Amino acid sequence: ARQGLSDEAFNIASSTTTMSKCVKADGSEPTEIEASVATELKNLEQGSSEIKVELRELTFLSAREVDVGGGKKAIIIFVPFPQLKKYNKIQTRLLRGLEK
């Protein structure tokens, strides 16, 4: 998905994307998992997703990977309380998009 960008330009673009979706309260850098979630949300927003309009205004606070047993892992995404209802409205479609 570099689309002809140099490594430096790609890293700057990726960092900008991550920071626009992952809003850390303390201003710290996003973790690898958070950067991955931010990139996937941005990809869904820019693609032909049925939820791209809703995703445009949504951000998240953090993301963590946890073991759920049986060798499986899940990613928990923490969202700002004021955006919770909007996330709940698109939760099923968002989950489908992120699982792909």
Side-chain angles (χ1 to χ4, degrees), residues 17-43:
T17 295
T18 302
M19 295 308 289
S20 71
K21 285 293 176 191
C22 182
V23 180
K24 306 280 274 181
D26 60 3
S28 64
E29 287 292 313
T31 65
E32 187 177 322
I33 292 290
E34 291 166 344
S36 177
V37 170
T39 301
E40 290 306 317
L41 288 175
K42 202 67 172 172
N43 289 343

